[in-house]
Every structure is written in C-alpha cells, then in structure tokens.
Amino acid sequence: MAKVTLTINSRHYTVGCEDGQEAEVDLLGRDIDRRARALANEAGAVSDELVMVLVSLLLADEAREATKARDALVRSLEEAVEARDKAQEMSEHIALEADQEIRRVADVRDRLEADRDAALSAHKALEASFCAMQQERDALRAQLEEARQALESARLHLEQRRDEQSTLRLSEENFVSAIEHMAKRVETVAQTLLAS
C-alpha cells in the first residue's frame, strides 16, 4: 500500500492509498487545502477542527447537490429511455402501417394493371371488330353499287322495251289504219264495179 503526504491548511497528513492512486489522492488533497485556506481566510482565527468541519460541510453539500444532479440525470435518462421506447414503438407502429399501406397501394397498382391489360385487350378486340365492320361495310357498298348498276341497267332495258312496245303499238295502229284505209278503198272499188 502506498503512502501520500498531504498539506492541508499548513498542516501535514500522511494517508495510505492503493498503489497507482497517489496522484489522484494528492489532487484531492490539494482541492481540500484550497477550500480550507479559503474558509480560514473568510472565517478569521478559527481552529483547524472547525475549518475541517466547514470543509466537510461544503464537500457534503456539493456531494448532495451532485447526488441530486445525478438523480435528476438518472430520471432524465429514464425518461429519455422511456421516450426512446415509445418512439421505437411508435416507429414500429408507423412502419407496420406504412407496410400495410405499401401492400394496399401494391394491390391497387396490381388491380389497375389488370384493368389496364383488360382495357388494352378490349381495345384490340374493338379495333379488330371495327376493321371487320369496315371491311363488311366496304363489301356492302360494293354490293350496293353492283345492285344500283344492275337496277340502272334494268331500268334502261325497261325503258328500251317500253319504247319498243310503243313503237310496235304505233306500227300496229298504222298497220290497222292502213288496212282499214285499204278496205275502204276496196269497198269503194267494189261498189264502183258493181254500179257499172
């Protein structure tokens, strides 16, 4: 065990300490000496025992304040740990909600993609149907044009036949008229012959 000699308020004290702690004990002795000298100067002519009591009271007060500070610090640390735990719990809750929201958004995205794919398929089917309807329309237009041309041809043929019938009727009427005229002339000739 090591020994350290301390000088406190002009008096020497030899104390024991663990090996290697000499410098720390010497530093503590110097602090006590500084405080003792200051108190002796303030108090005037007082005994060394009273100075040591005053230093002890001062150190006890500082120790009590340090204990209070330590307790307050411990409480602060405990509150900080509690706040950290609450924050961690809240963070986990938020992370869980965020994960659920991400899954919900992913589900919505998947449904939208499925709807988009279905809409694209329907659009392609409509395009194919539209193309088929356009082809059918073009075919119907061609048939309609053929029918119109056939109808026009039939109309022209009917008009031609009507003109031919009209001409034929006129020819028949002329022929009948000519025969009637000829019959009258024959009758006239016959009456002339009979009269002579």
Side-chain angles (χ1 to χ4, degrees), residues 124-139:
K124 287 180 181 177
L126 284 172
E127 279 187 341
S129 177
F130 182 69
C131 289
M133 288 173 67
Q134 282 183 325
Q135 291 174 352
E136 187 176 344
R137 180 202 62 194
D138 293 343

Side-chain angles (χ1 to χ4, degrees), residues 17-37:
C17 66
E18 293 183 9
D19 292 335
Q21 294 294 315
E22 298 91 346
E24 183 70 20
V25 171
D26 183 60
L27 188 62
L28 291 173
R30 289 174 190 264
D31 185 42
I32 292 171
D33 180 53
R34 180 183 54 78
R35 292 169 186 268
R37 286 177 185 275

